[in-house]
């Protein structure tokens, strides 16, 4: 650990219980053994102190020595610069390629959001196909980067893994919802499934959310008023 971070008395992660971007930062902090406090807020009722800290009104915010950092990728890169072990490749070209796949992970998060708010069954099916195409692209990328795995770039857990732990966690709940199995999201994608399992088993990924995450996500999805919510209502009724 560098002297800079060792001197930091406290890191505070301003969080929302379900936010995948918050999870990225929690994972990096855990991987680096940096103690931190969480301050969890309700994004539906943003407190004034939070709006004052977060220029875009979004979680995560990491408070470091009285200064606030926002944007998860920026926070993760900062932590990678100041604390070991490094989660990026040393080679600048490879590092840039990993950053590109981190950005790809943010696009997948947007597609997941579009999936769970899809207003009708046709839109739900279309969004499911988009998700599947992204997973097929990942299967190909793993063929290039991962070798025998288990992580994105092989044996070492890195920043692309940090991003995809929270992506795959959504499906621990979504895969159990009515009819999702029939969408065939994961069919014929052995490398992706292997990677997903390795990330789910990683301690830093597991501790990034609270014990009530799955229940909270189910309630959140059910309250969207979407095609997926209606499927959940039908089964619960
Ligand atoms: N690009 C941002 C995205 C963060 C983000 O979208 N956070 C969501 C919660 S997961 C949020 O705070 N939404 C509240 C809002 O947009 O008003 C990052 O990587 O930190």
């Amino acid at each position: 650990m560098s002297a800079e971070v060792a001197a930091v008395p406290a890191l505070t992660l301003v969080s929302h219980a379900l936010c995948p971007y918050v999870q990225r930062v929690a994972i990096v902090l855990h991987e680096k053994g940096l103690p931190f406090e969480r301050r969890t807020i309700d994004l539906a009722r943003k407190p004034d102190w939070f709006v004052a800290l977060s220029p875009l009104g979004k979680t995560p915010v990491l408070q470091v020595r009285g200064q606030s950092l926002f944007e998860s990728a920026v926070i993760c890169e900062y932590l990678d610069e100041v604390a070991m072990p490094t989660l990026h490749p040393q080679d600048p070209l490879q590092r840039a390629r990993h950053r590109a796949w981190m950005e790809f992970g943010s696009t997948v998060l947007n597609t997941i959001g579009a999936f769970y708010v899809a207003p009708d069954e046709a839109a739900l099916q279309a969004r499911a196909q988009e998700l599947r195409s992204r997973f097929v692209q990942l299967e190909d990328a793993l063929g290039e980067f991962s070798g025998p795995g288990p992580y994105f770039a092989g044996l070492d857990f890195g920043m692309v893994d940090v991003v995809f732990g929270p992506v795959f966690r959504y499906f621990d709940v979504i895969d159990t919802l009515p009819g999702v199995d029939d969408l065939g999201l994961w069919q014929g994608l052995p490398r992706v499934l292997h990677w997903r399992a390795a990330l789910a088993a990683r301690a830093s990924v597991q501790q990034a959310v609270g014990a009530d995450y799955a229940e909270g996500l189910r309630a959140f999805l059910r309250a969207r008023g979407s095609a997926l919510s209606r499927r959940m209502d039908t089964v619960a009724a």
Side-chain angles (χ1 to χ4, degrees):
M1 190 185 303
S2 79
E4 184 184 352
V5 167
V8 174
L11 295 167
T12 302
L13 179 57
V14 183
S15 303
H16 176 268
L18 301 177
C19 179
Y21 300 97
V22 167
Q23 291 174 48
R24 294 178 180 182
V25 179
I27 292 168
V28 171
L29 287 165
H30 191 273
E31 288 290 336
K32 291 174 181 290
L34 298 172
F36 65 102
E37 285 172 22
R38 270 184 202 262
R39 201 166 172 191
T40 299
I41 61 155
D42 179 358
L43 282 167
R45 278 176 292 275
K46 296 177 186 173
D48 291 343
W49 64 263
F50 169 69
V51 176
L53 290 185
S54 175
L56 298 172
K58 293 179 188 219
T59 58
V61 169
L62 185 71
Q63 293 179 281
V64 186
R65 253 187 258 123
Q67 303 194 56
S68 294
L69 296 177
F70 62 102
E71 284 297 322
S72 62
V74 173
I75 299 169
C76 291
E77 299 282 354
Y78 163 71
L79 293 170
D80 210 40
E81 282 179 21
V82 299
M84 295 298 280
T86 179
L87 297 172
H88 265 315
Q90 289 306 306
D91 176 69
L93 178 59
Q94 291 314 312
R95 194 157 63 238
R97 295 181 80 208
H98 282 215
R99 286 180 173 138
W101 283 102
M102 291 169 70
E103 194 54 38
F104 186 90
S106 298
T107 299
V108 177
L109 286 175
N110 290 338
T111 311
I112 293 170
F115 172 77
Y116 65 62
V117 300
D120 52 44
E121 282 294 322
L124 186 72
Q125 298 282 345
R127 299 293 87 79
Q129 283 321 303
E130 278 172 33
L131 271 176
R132 182 167 163 77
S133 321
R134 296 296 177 216
F135 295 154
V136 170
Q137 287 175 287
L138 279 178
E139 184 76 11
D140 292 344
L142 289 169
E144 182 182 349
F145 284 92
S146 184
Y151 298 118
F152 178 76
L155 285 176
D156 296 327
F157 183 91
M159 211 56 103
V160 183
D161 301 295
V162 168
V163 166
F164 278 91
V167 168
F168 292 138
R169 191 197 308 279
Y170 273 102
F171 295 92
D172 295 346
V173 170
I174 289 175
D175 284 350
T176 68
L177 301 181
V180 169
D181 216 22
D182 302 337
L183 298 172
L185 291 174
W186 309 99
Q187 244 163 35
L189 303 176
R191 286 190 283 258
V192 172
L193 285 174
H194 188 238
W195 186 31
R196 176 180 167 185
L199 294 183
R202 185 91 180 176
S204 62
V205 174
Q206 291 174 350
Q207 65 73 51
V209 294
D212 54 355
Y213 170 86
E215 190 189 327
L217 179 58
R218 244 180 248 111
F220 173 84
L221 295 173
R222 199 157 174 211
R224 292 309 92 200
S226 67
L228 195 62
S229 315
R230 283 191 295 282
R231 285 185 180 206
M232 295 173 82
D233 284 343
T234 310
V235 164

